[in-house]
Amino acid sequence: MRPWDDKVFWLGDEAGGFSVRDIKVKIAANAYIEPEFVFDWNHLVPMKVSFVGWWVVLDRLPTLVALAKKNIPVCSNLCPICGEFEESVEHIFISCGLAQSLWCVISQWCKMPEFFLFNFWDLLEVHKDSRLSSSKANILQVVYLIATWCLCKKRNDLVQSRVPI
Ligand SMILES: [Zn+2]
């Protein structure tokens, strides 16, 4: 073979032959990627309540840390509720003292064993892990979604009441 005798090979086929069918098969095989987490919508809560959970799943909740990463000026990225740690999604809904107290009170109120949350996804799946009937699990999800929305609303009220420096 002379150096100027270039040849085109299709690497998708072992024989090197190209076909549209091969491309179609390869695209179909890779077209569907299982999402890591799918938000479980609940028709019993208003959309504005569900949107908080959905925004978190999409990583779109404008926490102070997220805003600072996007070079949007913020007075402080500390949690407006406790003022001790940076305000991230995990902090607002999982590790902040108010959130931990809220989940503890809710688990007692619902007569459920206390559970440990490591991230927001754990919170969104509490109702799935419980040994409740589907209707009770649905109501439990409503309670957690509304509590999540209340936490977010409290956080928003505090952030918006800050006086910019
Ligand atoms: Zn906090």
Side-chain angles (χ1 to χ4, degrees):
M1 182 176 188
R2 297 173 300 191
W4 56 85
D5 289 336
D6 288 338
K7 190 169 183 177
V8 176
F9 290 95
W10 169 244
L11 298 175
D13 181 33
E14 292 173 5
F18 173 80
S19 74
V20 173
R21 185 178 183 280
D22 281 345
I23 289 182
K24 187 176 176 183
V25 168
K26 295 217 178 286
I27 289 173
N30 294 310
Y32 183 72
I33 299 170
E34 185 75 31
E36 190 174 328
F37 186 86
V38 177
F39 184 72
D40 196 7
W41 294 88
N42 189 312
H43 69 281
L44 297 176
V45 296
M47 291 299 279
K48 69 178 183 181
V49 171
S50 290
F51 276 140
V52 171
W54 190 52
W55 286 334
V56 171
V57 169
L58 296 177
D59 196 22
R60 296 287 190 271
L61 197 70
T63 63
L64 296 173
V65 169
L67 292 175
K69 280 183 186 172
K70 293 183 179 184
N71 294 324
I72 296 172
V74 294
C75 295
S76 165
N77 64 358
L78 293 178
C79 172
I81 296 171
C82 67
E84 295 180 22
F85 300 97
E86 288 188 336
E87 187 207 46
S88 64
V89 164
E90 264 65 35
H91 180 76
I92 296 171
F93 299 109
I94 306 300
S95 62
C96 187
L98 179 63
Q100 290 181 349
S101 299
L102 182 62
W103 307 136
C104 182
V105 168
I106 288 175
S107 66
Q108 289 172 354
W109 180 58
C110 294
K111 297 183 175 37
M112 294 182 56
E114 192 172 344
F115 47 85
F116 299 98
L117 303 170
F118 297 101
N119 56 45
F120 191 76
W121 284 257
D122 290 345
L123 179 64
L124 293 178
E125 295 197 337
V126 163
H127 67 287
K128 293 179 184 173
D129 293 337
S130 62
R131 294 188 170 91
L132 300 171
S133 66
S134 64
S135 61
K136 286 182 180 176
N138 207 19
I139 298 298
L140 184 63
Q141 183 192 23
V142 168
V143 170
Y144 277 90
L145 286 173
I146 290 174
T148 301
W149 181 81
C150 290
L151 270 176
C152 193
K153 182 168 182 352
K154 179 67 177 172
R155 172 258 177 218
N156 288 344
D157 292 345
L158 289 170
V159 169
Q160 290 166 6
S161 68
R162 282 184 178 171
V163 177
I165 297 172

